[in-house]
């Protein structure tokens, strides 16, 4: 049975391969023949990937998947979301169960070098911080010696916490609770004095979960860098390049002032070579990636530029109320720097 | 005639002080000093607890239709049932396409119907196998599509239909497997016996959660690149394998409870092995084992919530996903109560059915 399938796949690949000069890479071929991008996302994290009341995925990671589908297949809806927990995520990518891992995963050297995957960029810059009740009378994380800290297990968060306290010769007591709702309850009831996670998570909890948000403060220190981004399987450079550039295309679109609303107008009348190249009016940017030349047009038209995606999912008008901060474009004081599409 | 009239005169009332509500209370609730103290303590707890529960759950509750702001205003005083009003479809159906929710609804009804038919003793025959095969096929067709329905990949199945499927399919498919294992373990052929014993003890020696982990993490790495087995199927197979081992031991208990004379009598009638088992031994052994079998179905139904750890959106995980919404996140207790009620409704009816069976199947095998 398997042999038959292989033979059939081989035959199909041969026929298809005959029409193209260069091979587009196994993942792109698989995605095209399947007609959908398989995208591994968090089982539920507000702002990143979470099913809404109708079961439709929302969040910047979920939209990141749609961006790739729009670029490759011309249709942002052609995504098969595969919810994954923290332990499953790398196995699922390695075994081919997903084509991309878009699951608020921190880009680190170890993960990039040794786990059979590589990160294609950063879609959100985060950093770990501390949330404390005002009654604790603490103004800086350096005053937390001997504090009891609530933390979720199994991620870099727990390790960063231990590192930070050890570096500063402070005594640490942790209360480890897996489920966020239970952890927040413990924090509110005073079972721990400090709650630590990425600052985006702290801001979201402050805005939504705590019954008296005015009684709490996020301490100024950021104790870790958490660049979150999409990862792909190692060894398929064509696919890696597509995912990477679909991310940059969104940044370039924002920088050039192209939004989902004005993209048609820009495509028709803009005289800027940057815009023309990006939207496929001029040059063959998409073709060089092995995909449709209207790739970036499809991305912006169907999902939006980076700023639109940010505002819709995590921005100040959403329940998470996150300011752009270091996720602003480089020319607006942030870290988001789109590599030129040319 | 007259004599009969004479005989049916009203019997005399029992002596005063030996019946009536007051007597029942005195006998059962205040029979000794210890039970009197217990009764008072429990009454105290009820008086202390129930009014505040009623106030929280009913009087001051925020009902569906209201927004999250109303819930926040009532936070700590009244329950927020509005969260169920907003999220119940995500909790019950998971991420199944919203416009197609009639399909899982119908699929659940078909499965419930099949289960109810199997509960009726009049249908206990070989026909039931056909009923189940048809029921399962219709369920899978409604959920998965094809033949005129749009196709819905298993990745989108979730909520109660998935929980029901994992539990009931798991039970039904494991059943024949379990019978073979139970017979195999008692077999006089060494090879069959060893294989059965090793299988049963191996599976019973590991928790279900590790079987699910194996299927979810290790299996994909062993497979050649590019081939994947469906995640729902992997979990379903793990549950079937697990359930078969436990069920086999339950059935073996029934087999051992049978007097040896039954199979000896069958031998004397020159019945072969399979005829002996099918006509004489199994019908009696299974009858004895039915209450514990229903019991293991109850625990299986609850065990299915373990698939949440391999990211299948069963009832528990789809509830947690619904509660990931920061707007409604603070009201997770109400959502937990909601699915608790669903689990309880299923398990309680199964438990009641099991008690009913114990009564009706009583044929004097049991010592009193």
């Amino acid at each position: 049975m398997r042999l038959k399938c292989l033979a059939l796949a081989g035959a199909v690949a041969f026929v298809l391969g005959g029409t193209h000069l260069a091979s587009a890479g196994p993942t792109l071929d698989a995605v095209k023949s399947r007609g959908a991008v398989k995208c591994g996302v968090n089982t539920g994290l507000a702002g990143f990937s979470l099913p809404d009341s109708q079961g439709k995925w929302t969040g910047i990671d979920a939209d990141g998947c749609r961006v790739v589908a729009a670029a490759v297949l011309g249709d942002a809806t052609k995504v098969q979301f595969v919810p994954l927990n923290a332990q499953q995520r790398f196995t699922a990518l390695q075994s081919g169960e997903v084509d991309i891992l878009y699951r608020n995963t921190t880009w680190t050297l170890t993960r990039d070098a040794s786990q059979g995957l590589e990160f294609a960029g950063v879609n959100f810059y985060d950093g770990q911080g501390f949330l404390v009740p005002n009654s604790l009378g603490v103004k800086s994380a350096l005053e937390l010696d001997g504090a009891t800290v609530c933390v979720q297990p199994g991620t870099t968060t727990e390790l960063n916490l231990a590192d930070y306290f050890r570096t500063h010769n402070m005594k640490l007591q942790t209360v480890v609770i897996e489920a966020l709702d239970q952890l927040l309850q413990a924090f509110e009831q005073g079972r721990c004095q400090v709650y630590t996670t990425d600052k985006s998570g702290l801001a979201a909890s402050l805005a939504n979960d705590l019954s008296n948000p005015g009684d709490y403060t996020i301490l100024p220190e950021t104790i870790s860098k958490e660049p979150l981004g999409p990862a792909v399987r190692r060894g398929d450079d064509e696919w890696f390049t597509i995912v990477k550039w679909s991310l940059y295309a969104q940044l370039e679109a924002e920088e050039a002032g192209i939004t989902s609303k004005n993209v048609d107008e820009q495509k028709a009348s803009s005289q800027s070579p940057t815009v023309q190249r990006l939207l496929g009016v001029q040059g063959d940017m998409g073709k060089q990636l092995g995909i449709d030349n209207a790739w970036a047009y499809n991305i912006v038209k169907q999902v939006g530029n980076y700023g639109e995606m940010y505002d819709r999912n995590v921005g100040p008008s959403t329940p998470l109320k996150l300011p752009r901060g270091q996720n602003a474009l480089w020319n607006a004081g942030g870290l988001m720097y789109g590599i030129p599409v040319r | 005639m007259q004599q009969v009239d004479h005989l049916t005169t009203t019997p005399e009332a029992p002596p005063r002080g030996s019946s009536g509500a007051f007597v029942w209370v005195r006998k059962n609730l205040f029979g000794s000093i210890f039970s009197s103290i217990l009764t008072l303590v429990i009454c105290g707890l009820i008086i202390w607890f129930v009014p505040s529960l009623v106030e929280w759950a009913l009087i001051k509750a925020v009902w569906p239709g209201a927004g999250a702001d109303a819930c926040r205003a009532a936070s700590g005083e009244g329950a927020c049932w509005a969260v169920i009003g907003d999220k119940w479809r995500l909790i019950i159906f998971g991420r199944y396409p919203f416009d197609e929710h009639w399909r899982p609804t119908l699929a659940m009804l078909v499965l419930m119907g099949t289960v109810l038919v199997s509960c009726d003793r009049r249908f206990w025959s070989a026909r039931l196998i056909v009923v189940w095969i048809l029921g399962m096929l219709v369920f899978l067709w409604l959920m998965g599509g094809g033949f005129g329905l749009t196709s819905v990949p298993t990745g989108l199945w979730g909520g109660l239909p998935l929980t029901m499927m994992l539990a009931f399919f798991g039970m039904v498919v494991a059943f024949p497997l379990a019978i073979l294992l139970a017979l195999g373990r008692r077999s006089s052929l060494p090879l069959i016996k060893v294989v059965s014993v090793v299988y049963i003890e191996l599976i019973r020696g590991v928790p279900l959660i590790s079987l699910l982990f194996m299927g979810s993490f290790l299996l994909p790495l062993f497979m050649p690149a590019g081939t994947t087995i469906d995640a729902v199927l992997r979990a379903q197979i793990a549950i079937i394998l697990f359930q078969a081992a436990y069920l086999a031991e339950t059935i073996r208990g029934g087999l051992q409870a049978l007097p040896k004379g039954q199979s000896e009598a069958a031998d004397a009638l020159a019945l072969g092995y399979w005829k002996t088992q099918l006509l004489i031994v199994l019908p009696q052994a299974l009858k004895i084992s039915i209450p514990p079998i229903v019991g293991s179905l109850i625990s299986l139904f609850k065990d299915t919530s373990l698939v949440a750890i391999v990211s299948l959106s069963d009832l528990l995980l789809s509830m947690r996903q619904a509660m990931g919404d920061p707007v409604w996140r603070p009201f997770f207790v109400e959502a937990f109560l909601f699915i608790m009620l669903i689990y309880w409704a299923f398990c309680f009816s199964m438990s009641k059915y099991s008690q009913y069976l114990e009564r009706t199947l009583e044929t004097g095998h049991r010592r009193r």
Side-chain angles (χ1 to χ4, degrees):
Chain A
M1 185 62 197
R2 191 175 300 147
L3 268 178
K4 240 188 199 167
C5 284
L6 274 178
L8 195 68
V12 170
F14 180 76
V15 172
L16 289 177
T19 60
H20 293 288
L21 267 167
S23 164
T27 312
L28 181 59
D29 286 342
V31 166
K32 278 183 174 164
S33 69
R34 191 192 305 129
V37 177
K38 280 192 181 173
C39 199
V41 293
N42 196 314
T43 47
L45 181 63
F48 289 86
S49 57
L50 181 75
D52 67 6
S53 295
Q54 305 203 339
K56 184 175 176 282
W57 287 97
T58 59
I60 53 170
D61 282 351
D63 278 350
C65 302
R66 297 194 175 102
V67 163
V68 177
V72 173
L73 302 167
D75 185 348
T77 61
K78 289 189 172 161
V79 183
Q80 287 176 14
F81 290 99
V82 180
L84 298 169
N85 61 36
Q87 293 86 26
Q88 283 175 308
R89 53 185 165 179
F90 299 123
T91 317
L93 183 61
Q94 286 154 7
S95 66
E97 217 170 316
V98 295
D99 304 315
I100 321 171
L101 183 67
Y102 235 128
R103 195 200 169 281
N104 57 295
T105 303
T106 305
W107 184 358
T108 65
L109 184 143
T110 311
R111 286 175 178 169
D112 217 10
S114 68
Q115 291 185 342
L117 50 93
E118 47 192 342
F119 283 82
V122 176
N123 71 333
F124 192 87
Y125 288 98
D126 214 333
Q128 192 175 337
F130 295 104
L131 183 69
V132 292
N134 296 336
S135 57
L136 200 60
V138 168
K139 292 275 172 290
S140 154
L142 295 168
E143 299 168 33
L144 289 176
D145 192 12
T148 314
V149 184
C150 272
V151 61
Q152 285 178 291
T155 59
T156 47
T157 314
E158 213 181 344
L159 305 173
N160 293 332
L161 175 70
D163 283 354
Y164 183 78
F165 272 67
R166 201 180 308 125
T167 318
H168 294 93
N169 268 324
M170 298 193 293
K171 225 178 114 224
L172 169 68
Q173 285 183 314
T174 52
V175 175
V176 180
I177 302 175
E178 168 108 47
L180 180 64
D181 39 28
Q182 285 152 29
L183 184 143
L184 286 166
Q185 211 174 34
F187 178 57
E188 271 197 298
Q189 289 166 353
R191 271 181 61 201
C192 48
Q193 300 153 314
V194 186
Y195 166 39
T196 183
T197 189
D198 290 350
K199 279 192 164 176
S200 64
L202 294 182
S205 288
L206 202 55
N208 297 286
D209 301 314
L210 301 171
S211 34
N212 299 310
D215 295 350
Y216 301 89
T217 316
I218 297 177
L219 295 178
E221 284 85 355
T222 303
I223 66 162
S224 72
K225 291 186 285 186
E226 307 284 344
L228 311 179
V232 295
R233 246 185 322 283
R234 202 162 253 279
D236 188 344
D237 292 352
E238 284 76 13
W239 182 246
F240 170 75
T241 312
I242 290 170
V243 174
K244 179 167 66 180
W245 281 96
S246 61
L247 205 63
Y248 290 141
Q250 271 194 306
L251 293 174
E252 283 288 276
E254 187 183 6
E255 197 178 326
I258 311 169
T259 66
S260 55
K261 303 219 169 47
N262 70 14
V263 63
D264 285 312
E265 189 192 319
Q266 292 262 23
K267 188 176 185 179
S269 60
S270 174
Q271 296 303 312
S272 152
T274 312
V275 174
Q276 289 187 340
R277 268 195 301 271
L278 187 63
L279 297 182
V281 182
Q282 207 192 79
D284 53 358
M285 300 299 145
K287 286 207 188 92
Q288 292 183 44
L289 290 172
I291 52 182
D292 187 2
N293 219 24
W295 63 294
Y297 168 82
N298 288 333
I299 291 176
V300 179
K301 175 81 183 165
Q302 296 179 23
V303 188
N305 67 33
Y306 182 79
E308 288 178 278
M309 188 174 81
Y310 187 96
D311 290 341
R312 179 171 62 227
N313 293 308
V314 293
S317 63
T318 65
L320 272 77
K321 300 191 178 65
L322 298 181
R324 268 305 272 278
Q326 48 191 0
N327 291 300
L329 290 183
W330 62 282
N331 54 11
L335 296 171
M336 285 295 176
Y337 188 97
I339 308 298
V341 175
R342 67 177 304 149
Chain B
M1 278 301 259
Q2 274 174 345
Q3 275 201 333
V4 171
D5 277 348
H6 179 70
L7 281 173
T8 53
T9 47
T10 38
E12 239 175 274
R16 281 168 60 85
S18 66
S19 70
F22 180 73
V23 175
W24 184 89
V25 167
R26 201 176 64 191
K27 202 169 139 196
N28 290 292
L29 300 181
F30 296 95
S32 68
I33 296 175
F34 181 65
S35 82
S36 308
I37 294 173
L38 263 187
T39 305
L40 289 176
V41 168
I42 288 169
C43 282
L45 280 177
I46 290 174
I47 291 169
W48 176 64
F49 182 66
V50 167
S52 50
L53 181 71
V54 169
E55 188 180 317
W56 178 80
L58 299 174
I59 298 172
K60 291 198 172 167
V62 178
W63 295 99
D69 293 331
C71 281
R72 271 161 217 265
S75 173
E77 289 168 9
C80 174
W81 302 122
V83 62
I84 310 297
D86 196 67
K87 294 286 180 193
W88 69 273
R89 286 179 71 159
L90 182 57
I91 297 176
I92 299 278
F93 299 112
R95 289 176 295 107
Y96 204 89
F98 196 73
D99 301 327
E100 307 265 354
H101 278 181
W102 62 272
R103 278 164 55 182
T105 312
L106 206 59
M108 282 195 288
L109 288 176
V110 167
L111 197 55
M112 284 299 291
T114 318
V115 171
L116 285 178
V117 164
S118 335
C119 285
D120 192 330
R121 288 181 60 191
R122 282 171 300 176
F123 291 96
W124 286 3
S125 65
R127 271 179 306 174
L128 207 52
I129 300 173
V130 183
V131 170
W132 265 101
I133 290 173
L134 280 179
M136 296 198 321
L137 285 178
V138 172
F139 181 91
L140 291 176
W141 170 61
L142 283 167
M143 292 294 289
F147 302 104
L149 292 176
T150 48
S151 154
V152 176
T154 55
L156 294 179
W157 299 11
L160 189 57
L162 183 66
T163 292
M164 285 174 65
M165 183 187 93
L166 291 173
F168 291 125
F169 281 34
M171 190 69 186
V172 168
V173 180
F175 196 68
L177 211 57
I179 290 177
L180 291 179
L181 283 168
L183 291 176
R185 192 166 185 164
R186 286 162 57 85
S187 166
S188 51
L189 304 170
L191 182 68
I192 291 179
K193 184 169 178 156
V194 166
V195 168
S196 309
V197 170
V198 167
Y199 175 84
I200 292 172
E201 295 306 329
L202 205 65
I203 298 276
R204 269 162 47 101
V206 292
L208 176 57
I209 208 160
S210 56
L211 281 182
L212 290 170
F213 263 110
M214 281 268 290
S216 173
F217 300 109
L218 290 178
L219 203 64
L221 291 180
F222 297 151
M223 307 279 294
T227 48
T228 49
I229 306 181
D230 188 90
V232 173
L233 185 64
R234 283 191 305 228
Q236 182 74 77
I237 289 175
I239 286 177
I240 289 169
L241 295 180
F242 179 81
Q243 188 63 13
Y246 273 81
L247 214 49
E249 288 297 278
T250 308
I251 293 172
R252 189 168 67 100
L255 291 173
Q256 277 175 346
L258 269 201
K260 212 170 171 220
Q262 296 286 331
S263 47
E264 283 171 353
D267 284 344
L269 291 172
L271 290 177
Y273 176 79
W274 286 110
K275 274 196 168 161
T276 309
Q277 301 303 332
L278 284 176
L279 297 176
I280 312 286
V281 176
L282 277 177
Q284 300 183 69
L286 288 181
K287 199 170 82 176
I288 303 172
S289 340
I290 279 173
I293 287 174
V294 180
S296 77
L297 178 59
I298 292 177
S299 39
L300 178 64
F301 193 83
K302 291 178 290 184
D303 281 349
T304 54
S305 60
L306 288 175
V307 299
I309 62 140
V310 291
S311 303
L312 293 184
S313 310
D314 76 316
L315 193 55
L316 182 68
L317 186 62
S318 62
M319 184 280 281
R320 298 209 74 108
Q321 285 182 325
M323 285 303 104
D325 184 345
V327 175
W328 295 102
R329 198 157 61 187
F331 311 106
F332 66 94
V333 172
E334 287 82 348
F336 264 111
L337 283 174
F338 177 63
I339 64 160
M340 198 183 87
L341 207 65
I342 296 177
Y343 276 114
W344 178 81
F346 272 90
C347 296
F348 183 71
S349 8
M350 287 188 252
S351 164
K352 275 283 158 202
Y353 174 68
S354 166
Q355 285 170 13
Y356 154 82
L357 275 185
E358 268 180 67
R359 281 196 308 275
T360 54
L361 291 177
E362 185 66 70
T363 46
H365 273 303
R366 192 163 305 145
R367 289 195 202 99
R368 285 174 192 272

